Amino acid sequence: MTTPTLTRPELTAADRCDRCGAAAKVRAVLPSGGELLFCNHHARAHSERLREMAAQLEG
């Protein structure tokens, strides 16, 4: 018996950065299960804090 793995959908052109509205390139999955979308600029700007929070960065 295999256990199905849940995957999040790929980011598309319709996905926008939660900080500035630019095209989202990185998804930050929070330990609580929530997620934030960031452009590359804001992903880099917030990466240290996201790592401190044990967020998983995808993208």
Side-chain angles (χ1 to χ4, degrees):
M1 177 179 198
T2 61
T3 303
T5 302
L6 298 177
T7 59
R8 297 185 188 270
E10 293 290 322
L11 294 174
T12 68
D15 293 310
R16 310 314 287 174
C17 176
D18 289 326
R19 185 76 175 131
C20 70
K25 301 294 183 186
V26 177
R27 174 182 284 121
V29 181
L30 305 175
S32 64
E35 68 179 33
L36 297 168
L37 302 179
F38 292 110
C39 63
N40 283 328
H41 167 80
H42 284 111
R44 283 190 304 274
H46 298 290
S47 64
E48 184 176 331
R49 179 65 179 125
L50 290 166
R51 277 192 225 107
E52 289 173 4
M53 295 171 53
Q56 181 180 21
L57 302 178
E58 303 171 353

